[in-house]
Amino acid sequence: MLERVRAVLVTADDTMLVIRRTRPGIPEYWVLPGGGVEPGDESREAALHREIHEEIAGKADIIRLLHTMESDDERQLFYLARIATWSFDDRTGPEFSAEGRGEYALEEVQLTAEGLDGIDLKPEEIAHVLRGALSAGNLGVEASL
């Protein structure tokens, strides 16, 4: 089964980092930074640290596992994390040089229901989970400050 790890990366300003994807013939959408767990990764968390480094040259403190989505052939694990530094100019992931992959633009979005409503975050299930956690006040980022 293919495993992917993604992070809700919360900044010091309580925004979240998302990647706006623009691809030919597809309406733009946003995803959370992350990617596939590779055989050489020591753990899922190690894979997430590697992906964050590749995609945004960032270092994050993982707070906790937030949500898991599973289908017949894929498991996605979504983590909540704090991030202090990042640089989209210094990204190194192989996906950025692949032909036909479209554009990846790093953006900060307010971590509020209104902020989520302003983007088409994929997969829709994680957007729903975030809205629910925000409305219930139990996202748990505050406790990690």
Side-chain angles (χ1 to χ4, degrees), residues 16 33 41-42 57 65 104 109 127-128 140:
M16 120 177 126
D41 293 325
E42 293 181 14
L65 180 64
Y104 291 74
V109 174
H128 179 74

Side-chain angles (χ1 to χ4, degrees), residues 52-110:
I52 291 168
H53 176 74
E54 287 177 1
E55 290 193 359
I56 61 173
K59 292 187 186 206
D61 293 320
I62 298 172
I63 298 168
R64 66 181 169 94
L65 180 64
L66 181 65
H67 185 68
T68 302
M69 287 176 44
E70 199 164 317
S71 65
D72 290 340
D73 58 351
E74 181 178 81
R75 178 182 300 129
Q76 290 194 70
L77 298 107
F78 295 87
Y79 290 86
L80 183 63
R82 276 275 180 196
I83 189 159
T85 62
W86 62 90
S87 170
F88 206 55
D89 293 333
D90 295 326
R91 61 192 178 173
T92 61
E95 61 270 23
F96 304 115
S97 59
E99 282 293 317
R101 294 289 302 206
E103 294 181 33
Y104 291 74
L106 186 65
E107 297 181 353
E108 284 184 69
V109 174
Q110 289 297 316

Side-chain angles (χ1 to χ4, degrees), residues 26 71 98 112 141:
I26 299 173
S71 65
T112 61
V141 178

Side-chain angles (χ1 to χ4, degrees), residues 3 5 36-50 62 79:
E3 283 195 324
V5 288
V37 177
E38 297 178 358
D41 293 325
E42 293 181 14
S43 65
R44 294 169 178 148
E45 291 81 5
L48 185 58
H49 284 295
R50 177 184 49 73
I62 298 172
Y79 290 86

Side-chain angles (χ1 to χ4, degrees), residues 113-132:
E114 295 80 16
L116 289 169
D117 289 344
I119 64 173
D120 183 13
L121 184 63
K122 301 289 186 194
E124 291 177 20
E125 185 174 328
I126 194 60
H128 179 74
V129 166
L130 285 171
R131 282 186 187 91

